[in-house]
């Protein structure tokens, strides 16, 4: 498990990270979201040892992280860093060799990974001839080719079309299932919401929310419910303590002022018609994000 504890960082007297701390657990995908300049990239660079923090510590399985530990990390920066004149498979195999793989194993790893990422027909093409989306796939392959135990990706889905997003998502899910701790940042909240087991939201250099997807949805659900019934739910409009948000024949979404009001609404619904469902409405990640950064 990768653990960040009390990380601080300042530039020219301006605090850009303030007591940043969260965990990246194995077997799970952790999404790291925040606006531009929120501190995501700085945090990831400190975790990688590329940048020094002013305070706090980075731990791996509870122990201070070492340079040797970081050799077991995979990193994809937001800026593409491959050699444009090298052939794709040659480039990825070369990076595996730098991590100690023999040539035959490096070549096999590179080929298998590039094929999995949909670049099997571009193995002998130069990196510079690839589309931006395919260069992004190659960059992801570079982060994965040495089978890292911790994977940190800065905007891995940037520039990918929906089909490519699904391919890359599948590869990351497979790595997490194999026990890898995966942290990735993204501005694509719908992708983060669909993929992630855990979420970390940062704004102005501070962690505003962190936890599993289910925990955060429950924490910020408030008192919003959806009622579906075979009868007319129009009576909700005048029910004390109820504010109707959306209404259609036989269904309504509404806020209540207390749990007691919610139970009273359910009791009346059961008395007046057949209730098909009565469920809390969990907020989307976008809604949670807007709420916690305000």
């Amino acid at each position: 498990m990768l653990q960040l504890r009390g990380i601080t960082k300042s530039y020219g007297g301006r605090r850009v990270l303030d007591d940043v701390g969260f965990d990246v657990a194995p077997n799970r995908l952790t999404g790291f979201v925040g606006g531009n300049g929120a501190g995501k990239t700085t945090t990831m660079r400190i975790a990688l040892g590329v940048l020094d923090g002013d305070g706090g510590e980075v731990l791996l399985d509870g122990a201070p992280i070492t340079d040797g530990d970081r050799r077991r990390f995979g990193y994809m920066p937001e800026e593409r860093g491959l050699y444009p004149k090298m052939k794709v498979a040659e480039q990825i195999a070369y990076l595996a060799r730098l991590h100690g793989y023999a040539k035959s194993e490096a070549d096999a790893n590179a080929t298998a990974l590039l094929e999995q990422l949909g670049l099997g027909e571009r193995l002998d093409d130069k990196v510079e001839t690839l589309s931006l989306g395919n260069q992004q796939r190659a960059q992801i392959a570079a982060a994965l080719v040495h089978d890292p135990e911790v994977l940190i990706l800065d905007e891995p889905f940037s520039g990918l079309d929906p089909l490519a997003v699904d391919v890359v998502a599948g590869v990351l899910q497979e790595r997490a299932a194999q026990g890898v701790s995966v942290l990735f940042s993204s501005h694509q909240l719908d992708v983060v919401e669909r993929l992630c087991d855990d979420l970390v939201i940062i704004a102005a250099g501070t962690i505003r929310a962190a936890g599993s997807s289910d925990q955060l949805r429950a924490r910020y659900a408030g008192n919003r419910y959806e009622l579906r019934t075979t009868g007319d739910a129009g009576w909700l409009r005048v029910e004390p303590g109820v504010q109707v948000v959306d209404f259609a024949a036989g269904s309504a979404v509404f806020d209540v002022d207390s749990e007691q009001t919610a139970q009273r609404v359910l009791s009346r619904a059961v008395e007046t018609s057949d209730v098909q469902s009565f469920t809390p409405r969990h907020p989307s990640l976008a809604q949670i994000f807007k709420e916690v950064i305000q």
Side-chain angles (χ1 to χ4, degrees):
M1 177 183 292
L2 178 66
Q3 300 157 300
L4 285 76
R5 296 289 182 267
I7 303 296
T8 61
K9 182 68 178 177
S10 297
Y11 291 110
R14 183 174 69 90
R15 182 67 63 91
V16 295
L17 295 180
D18 187 7
D19 194 28
V20 167
F22 58 88
D23 296 338
V24 184
N27 298 102
R28 297 177 73 82
L29 289 168
T30 300
F32 194 25
V33 299
N36 292 328
K40 301 186 301 296
T41 297
T42 300
T43 300
M44 290 190 287
R45 287 176 175 171
I46 290 173
L48 288 156
V50 175
L51 189 65
D52 290 329
D54 298 329
E57 57 184 348
V58 181
L59 308 172
L60 187 64
D61 297 329
I65 201 164
T66 67
D67 290 340
D69 292 330
R70 288 192 171 104
R71 288 186 59 82
R72 294 144 54 194
F73 283 25
Y75 176 48
M76 194 204 85
E78 187 173 10
E79 306 84 8
R80 293 181 176 90
L82 300 179
Y83 298 112
K85 300 296 184 182
M86 287 185 74
K87 294 179 181 180
V88 178
E90 180 185 4
Q91 165 77 108
I92 306 306
Y94 169 73
L95 294 173
R97 295 286 305 276
L98 291 180
H99 281 273
Y101 283 79
K103 185 179 186 306
S104 59
E105 191 175 13
D107 290 342
N109 275 16
T111 298
L113 185 53
L114 289 166
E115 288 177 345
Q116 187 179 15
L117 286 163
L119 292 176
E121 297 180 357
R122 309 299 299 272
L123 300 179
D124 294 324
D125 293 349
K126 291 183 179 179
V127 171
E128 65 182 358
T129 68
L130 300 181
S131 67
L132 292 180
N134 282 339
Q135 287 184 32
Q136 187 80 339
R137 297 192 205 202
Q139 191 79 56
I140 293 167
L144 290 168
V145 71
H146 59 290
D147 293 323
E149 297 176 23
V150 177
L151 188 58
I152 299 178
L153 309 172
D154 200 348
E155 296 289 342
F157 300 103
S158 177
L160 299 182
D161 61 44
L163 290 178
V165 168
D166 287 343
V167 170
V168 171
V171 171
L172 298 184
Q173 288 172 319
E174 179 182 286
R175 293 297 173 121
Q178 293 169 355
V180 177
S181 300
V182 181
L183 174 71
F184 72 88
S185 70
S186 180
H187 287 100
Q188 296 169 257
L189 297 183
D190 57 329
V191 175
V192 175
E193 185 166 32
R194 175 163 56 93
L195 291 183
C196 287
D197 305 294
D198 300 311
L199 300 169
V200 179
I201 300 175
I202 187 171
T206 62
I207 301 300
R208 301 296 179 86
S212 72
S213 300
D214 290 341
Q215 287 172 338
L216 292 186
R217 289 192 182 98
R219 187 183 309 166
Y220 294 96
N223 289 316
R224 180 163 292 184
Y225 291 84
E226 180 177 18
L227 170 66
R228 293 185 177 274
T229 177
T230 57
D232 182 5
W235 52 270
L236 276 169
R237 297 186 184 277
V238 295
E239 188 72 15
V242 173
Q243 178 66 48
V244 175
V245 176
D246 190 24
F247 185 85
S251 68
V253 176
F254 56 94
D255 294 332
V256 297
D257 60 6
S258 68
E259 181 63 26
Q260 290 75 17
T261 299
Q263 293 303 315
R264 190 182 73 242
V265 167
L266 176 58
S267 296
R268 180 168 178 183
V270 170
E271 291 172 357
T272 59
S273 60
D274 291 331
V275 174
Q276 296 173 319
S277 64
F278 183 82
T279 55
R281 280 291 291 268
H282 294 301
S284 67
L285 175 56
Q287 292 169 323
I288 294 172
F289 180 76
K290 291 176 182 177
E291 181 173 342
V292 301
I293 65 172
Q294 290 178 349

